[in-house]
Amino acid sequence: MMMRNTLSALVLALLFLLPGNLQAQEMDILLRPQAHIEGAYVTLGDLFSGLPVEQEDVAVAHAPQPGQQAVLDYRWLAGIAQRYKVAWRPRTTADQTIVIRDSQTIGMDEISDAIHGALSENGIPAPFAVDMGGETFRIELPVNAPVQLEITGININRRTGRFIADVTTGRGTAQQRTYRMSGRYFPLEQVPVLVDSVQRGDIVRPDQVEMRDVRSDRLQANVLRDPADVIGKEVRRSVNPGEPLLNRDFTAPILVKRGAIVTIRLETPNMSLTARGKALENGSAGDVIRVVNLQSNKTIQVEVTAENDVRAIPAMSQ
């Protein structure tokens, strides 16, 4: 570390021994700490401000790749200044310029969409989703390059759903590049999901349910597929929005609770009678439960028709 500091001090000392006529001139020329460039070369004007016009466009280095950056330290900058007779010299070893190559970005969403289209053209039936395995890859193009994205080749394994695609940008131009990418496609199935969080004991309303495409490989065997199997049902456990709904998570709501006073109705073509009773067990719509007729003190079987409302079943009366 001591040797490195000594060498740095010597380099700076030598730089400060440059001809004295630079002393006044260098006050007008400043180092740019950061430079955004679009082209393939770094110029003196990208590095220094205050240059004569004829020096600004002089290329001194290749630019980084699109979307990349390079750090030019004080030694390199001092060498360039000396070589091209720029009246500048470093003040400290911390002097540097960060050169950033601007670019146009093609992200994974655009790449996935292009591959989806190629799969459709090759006979994969809709609806399906393309999975690139969590890939965060992106294509960086020069600012002046045409933004063209084509799938120039694709190999599909229909048994496993896996594919290998050749993704080409700038086809037919000097900037043409081809990237080989792999992934998998999955059939989609429409299933009901909740749009709001629900808690145990809640009754699901129609406005809380919508149909949504879900990957078939993520659906369990007992998943619900009909909104009618959800709407009006009581929630047995908390369910998050957007989750596929399982049959075990819902039940018919209890309309008659054990011990509740209920209205017993007996209807025939010739008469209609009502009486009060006491439920001996819980019941949902359509369930057959036992109640005690409070007038006759007899236990009878009834069918639950609404909240605290039951229908007597003459043939099953006790």
Side-chain angles (χ1 to χ4, degrees), residues 238-251:
S238 298
V239 180
N240 295 322
E243 289 183 357
L245 306 176
L246 304 180
N247 185 56
R248 66 170 181 259
D249 295 334
F250 301 89
T251 186

Side-chain angles (χ1 to χ4, degrees), residues 25-317:
Q25 297 177 36
E26 67 182 9
M27 299 299 292
D28 298 326
I29 296 178
L30 299 176
L31 178 68
R32 300 184 191 275
Q34 190 176 92
H36 283 268
I37 64 174
E38 297 183 356
Y41 296 96
V42 181
T43 67
L44 286 175
D46 295 324
L47 304 176
F48 304 101
S49 64
L51 292 172
V53 175
E54 61 271 15
Q55 281 191 303
E56 289 185 350
D57 294 331
V58 175
V60 295
H62 286 282
Q65 291 297 312
Q68 302 297 312
Q69 67 178 36
V71 179
L72 308 179
D73 67 13
Y74 75 97
R75 290 189 185 91
W76 189 91
L77 293 165
I80 288 296
Q82 190 171 17
R83 182 183 309 169
Y84 292 95
K85 296 181 173 55
V86 176
W88 175 88
R89 55 187 174 183
R91 299 300 183 187
T92 73
T93 57
D95 283 347
Q96 66 177 26
T97 296
I98 301 174
V99 177
I100 302 168
R101 177 85 177 271
D102 292 336
S103 65
Q104 304 176 84
T105 301
I106 299 177
M108 282 306 302
D109 287 343
E110 294 171 86
I111 295 171
S112 294
D113 287 346
I115 292 174
H116 190 285
L119 290 168
S120 294
E121 291 173 1
N122 281 270
I124 303 303
F128 64 89
V130 172
D131 186 349
M132 304 300 291
E135 183 69 64
T136 57
F137 175 78
R138 60 184 186 180
I139 299 172
E140 304 283 357
L141 299 177
V143 171
N144 60 352
V147 183
Q148 299 172 343
L149 182 68
E150 297 180 57
I151 307 303
T152 51
I154 190 164
N155 187 358
I156 306 169
N157 185 324
R158 298 173 187 272
R159 181 178 62 84
T160 63
R162 298 190 179 277
F163 61 81
I164 299 175
D166 291 331
V167 181
T168 300
T169 59
R171 188 177 184 185
T173 70
Q175 290 88 15
Q176 178 172 326
R177 299 288 185 276
T178 297
Y179 309 84
R180 177 154 287 191
M181 308 188 71
S182 62
R184 193 175 177 187
Y185 68 87
F186 295 90
L188 297 176
E189 186 173 343
Q190 276 215 336
V191 296
V193 299
L194 297 176
V195 297
D196 298 320
S197 295
V198 292
Q199 306 299 318
R200 181 178 179 181
D202 289 350
I203 304 300
V204 180
R205 306 188 310 270
D207 64 322
Q208 292 180 301
V209 181
E210 70 176 17
M211 299 298 289
R212 189 174 297 177
D213 287 332
V214 179
R215 278 174 37 174
S216 58
D217 64 306
R218 294 176 177 170
L219 297 178
Q220 299 185 28
N222 60 343
V223 70
L224 297 174
R225 290 173 167 80
D226 188 341
D229 294 330
V230 182
I231 295 171
K233 295 299 177 67
E234 182 177 335
V235 180
R236 301 182 68 176
R237 71 170 181 89
S238 298
V239 180
N240 295 322
E243 289 183 357
L245 306 176
L246 304 180
N247 185 56
R248 66 170 181 259
D249 295 334
F250 301 89
T251 186
I254 301 300
L255 298 179
V256 174
K257 294 184 177 180
R258 181 180 179 182
I261 302 301
V262 299
T263 298
I264 305 171
R265 302 181 186 279
L266 175 61
E267 295 183 353
T268 69
N270 300 319
M271 65 177 179
S272 177
L273 301 175
T274 62
R276 287 163 56 81
K278 183 177 181 180
L280 299 180
E281 51 194 330
N282 294 335
S284 301
D287 288 349
V288 175
I289 63 172
R290 294 175 301 124
V291 302
V292 175
N293 186 320
L294 296 179
Q295 292 176 328
S296 64
N297 205 32
K298 289 185 177 181
T299 298
I300 60 174
Q301 289 185 310
V302 296
E303 179 186 355
V304 178
T305 56
E307 186 174 4
N308 294 329
D309 202 282
V310 298
R311 180 179 66 86
I313 307 174
M316 301 178 66
S317 299

